Amino acid sequence: MELVTFFETLWLARIPILKGIGVTVSISVLAILVGTILGIGVGLALTYGNRPLRWLVRGYTDFIRGTPVLVLVLASYYVLGTIGIDLGPFQAGVLALAVFCSSHVGEIVRGALQSIPRGQTEAAKAIGLTFPQTFAYVLGPQALRQVLPAWVNTAAEMVKASTLLSIIGVAELLLRTQELISRTFMSLEFYFFAGFLYFVVNYGIERFGRYVERKTSIPS
Amino acid sequence: MTGNLLEIRDLHKRYGEVEVLKGVDCTMAQGDVISIIGSSGSGKTTMLRCINMLEEFQGGSIRIDGEEIGYDTAGGTRRRKKEKEIARQRAMTGMAFQQFNLFPHMSAAENVMLGLVKVKKMARDEARIVAEKWLDRVGLAERRDRFPGQLSGGQQQRVAIARAIAMNPKLMLFDEVTSALDPELVNEVLQVIKDLARDGMSMLLVTHEMRFAYEVSSRVIFMNQGRIGEEGNPREMFLKPQTERLAEFLKTSTFN
C-alpha cells in the first residue's frame, strides 16, 4: 500500500528528479573535466617545474586539500562576489569543485610520474627523443595507467561532493529531493531513493574505470 | 680535424664537491671495440654517460666525428647546447643499460620502432621492417609482439640492444649490460655483442666480464679513481699489467 503511494508520488515528481539528476551530472562532469585538466597542469608543475613554480603550486595544492569542500563552495559563492567576481550558484559551485578536484588530481599525477623509474627517461633520451616526445610516448602513457584507479576514486568523490551545492541553492538532486520531502513528508523513501541514484552514477563511473584499466593493461 | 670517431679531451666531472672524473683523455677510431674496466666508483659508467649527455660535465670536451658534444666552447665561453641539439647528438650514439630500460607499455617491435618513427621520421611500415630485421639479428624475430614483461632478462636486453642499434648509431655504448642478468642468461647477450663487433660496429663497453673483455676488445682501458690508470691491448693488459693497481684489480676479479 505504502509502496504504491511512493511509486505514485515518484511518478508525479519524475520531472524535478530527472532535472536534479541532470544538474548533478552536469556539475560532476564539468568539475571533473576542468579539475582534471587543471590537475594535469598541477602535476606537471609539481614534477618538472622549477623551484619557484613548484613552491607556488605546492602551496596551492596544500591549501586547497587542507580546506573542507564546503568552505570552498561557500567562499566561491559569497567571497568572490565581494571582490567583484559575480558568479551564479551553479558556476561558483562548479568552480569550487573543479579547484578541489585539481589539487587531488595534481597529487595523483605527480605520484604517478615520480614512480616511473628514471631509466625510462634515460632510455628515451638515449635514442634521441626530446622531452616533449619522451613525455608523450614514454612517460605519459605509463603515468596514465597508474593514475586511473585513483582518478576514478576522485571522480566518484566529486559526484558526492556535488551535493554540497544544495547549500548555495543549486537545484541538484539532493535539493530536489529535499523539496520533494518537504511536500510529501516521505523522507525515508526519497532519501533512500536519492542515495540509490548516487550509487548508480558512481557505480557507472567505477565500471567505466575498470573497463579502461582492462583495455589499457600491459600484458605480462 | 682528426679522423677519430671519438675524442675525449681532459674530461672533468663533479657531483657537487666530489670530482669523479679528473681529466680523462681517450680517442677511438672507427671500428674500435674498447672495454672499460675498473672497480666500482672509478668513474667508468660516468664517463660513458657523459658521451651521450646523460651526465653534464664541467670541463674538457667530447667530440664524435669531430662534432663537439653537449657544449659550445667557441670564443672562450662554455655554453650548454640547446636541448633539441643535444637530442640530435644523442642519436649519434646508441646506449644499452644495465637495467635494460625497455618501455614496458610497448611490444618488442614497438620499442625498436619508437626512435625510428619519432626521431628518424621513418614511416611506420618502413620502421617495422627495420625493427623486425634487427630483432631477427638478436634472435628474437618470433618474440617481436611480446611485451617486456613477457620476456626473460636476456631477451629484454637483446631487445634493448636492437632498439639502440636500429637507430644506426656511429658508436654503441654498453653500460654493464650483463650485470643484472642471471648467470645462465649472460652468454646470449654477450654473443649478440660479439656479432656486432665482428660486423665492425664501434663500441665502448663498461663491463665486469673480464674473459669477454679479453676476447672482444681491440683495446682495454683500466679506470682508477677518476683517471685512466692504464690502457693497451687486452693481451698485455691482462697478462702483463704494468701498474700495481691493475694487477691488484685483476687479482680480485674473476677471469672465467
Side-chain angles (χ1 to χ4, degrees), chain B:
Chain B
M1 206 92 322
T2 53
N4 286 324
L5 171 65
L6 174 70
E7 200 172 300
I8 300 177
R9 291 269 165 265
D10 198 28
L11 183 64
H12 286 263
K13 159 80 187 168
R14 273 190 308 275
Y15 288 110
E17 292 295 295
V18 188
E19 191 167 36
V20 286
L21 295 176
K22 303 169 184 168
V24 173
D25 293 273
C26 170
T27 57
M28 184 177 173
Q30 183 73 42
D32 275 356
V33 176
I34 299 181
S35 293
I36 308 172
I37 60 172
S39 45
S40 52
S42 61
K44 48 194 196 310
T45 288
T46 306
M47 175 184 159
L48 208 63
R49 290 165 58 88
C50 285
I51 295 172
N52 67 357
M53 284 296 284
L54 286 184
E55 300 284 352
E56 315 269 310
F57 52 94
Q58 287 77 29
S61 67
I62 298 174
R63 285 169 187 279
I64 295 174
D65 256 358
E67 185 176 332
E68 181 155 12
I69 299 297
Y71 300 89
D72 284 314
T73 53
T77 54
R78 186 169 192 275
R79 294 239 316 265
R80 196 177 192 276
K81 287 192 202 284
K82 292 199 174 70
E83 278 309 317
K84 227 181 157 158
E85 183 69 1
I86 290 176
R88 184 188 64 77
Q89 292 188 327
R90 283 193 180 112
M92 291 163 65
T93 56
M95 187 164 193
F97 300 85
Q98 185 174 353
Q99 300 294 342
F100 332 134
N101 298 342
L102 286 180
F103 307 130
H105 58 301
M106 297 180 188
S107 69
E110 287 166 344
N111 262 276
V112 182
M113 287 166 65
L114 183 64
L116 298 173
V117 173
K118 299 302 172 190
V119 180
K120 296 255 183 213
K121 309 289 177 199
M122 230 179 242
R124 283 191 72 83
D125 301 347
E126 197 187 339
R128 182 163 279 278
I129 292 167
V130 176
E132 284 175 5
K133 182 189 101 184
W134 281 107
L135 286 172
D136 189 32
R137 271 294 302 273
V138 300
L140 291 170
E142 76 287 6
R143 301 280 157 92
R144 60 177 179 245
D145 294 323
R146 298 286 180 89
F147 284 73
Q150 300 171 310
L151 299 172
S152 74
Q155 291 169 340
Q156 287 188 52
Q157 190 60 289
R158 285 188 280 153
V159 174
I161 292 172
R163 176 176 67 181
I165 212 108
M167 296 293 290
N168 195 20
K170 295 170 191 277
L171 168 66
M172 266 301 294
L173 308 170
F174 292 90
D175 184 16
E176 298 189 31
V177 287
T178 57
S179 298
L181 294 176
D182 292 336
E184 72 269 23
L185 301 177
V186 167
N187 263 324
E188 63 186 59
V189 173
L190 295 185
Q191 196 53 51
V192 165
I193 300 175
K194 277 183 188 167
D195 288 347
L196 292 171
R198 201 172 305 130
D199 288 357
M201 186 79 216
S202 310
M203 304 197 286
L204 206 51
L205 314 110
V206 169
T207 184
H208 290 294
E209 301 283 335
M210 294 305 152
R211 160 66 68 182
F212 172 70
Y214 178 80
E215 285 171 4
V216 79
S217 318
S218 51
R219 193 145 50 98
V220 175
I221 290 176
F222 170 61
M223 292 283 287
N224 183 32
Q225 297 182 338
R227 291 194 174 83
I228 291 183
E230 196 174 331
E231 66 175 299
N233 74 49
R235 182 166 271 281
E236 287 167 8
M237 291 277 287
F238 286 111
L239 302 181
K240 283 178 281 179
Q242 299 296 306
T243 58
E244 191 83 0
R245 280 288 187 177
L246 177 57
E248 198 66 24
F249 173 73
L250 289 174
K251 223 181 286 174
T252 57
S253 55
T254 48
F255 191 86
N256 48 20

Side-chain angles (χ1 to χ4, degrees), chain A residues 42-104:
Chain A
V42 166
L44 289 175
L46 286 174
T47 318
Y48 303 116
N50 57 18
R51 188 167 298 189
L53 180 64
R54 273 204 321 268
W55 281 13
L56 196 74
V57 177
R58 167 62 49 214
Y60 166 84
T61 51
D62 283 356
F63 178 74
I64 300 296
R65 292 203 307 160
T67 312
V69 199
L70 181 55
V71 173
L72 288 176
V73 170
L74 293 172
S76 174
Y77 186 50
Y78 293 110
V79 181
L80 285 185
T82 64
I83 57 167
I85 306 169
D86 238 341
L87 298 178
F90 181 86
Q91 295 157 314
V94 167
L95 175 68
L97 293 186
V99 163
F100 180 71
C101 181
S102 75
S103 69
H104 280 259

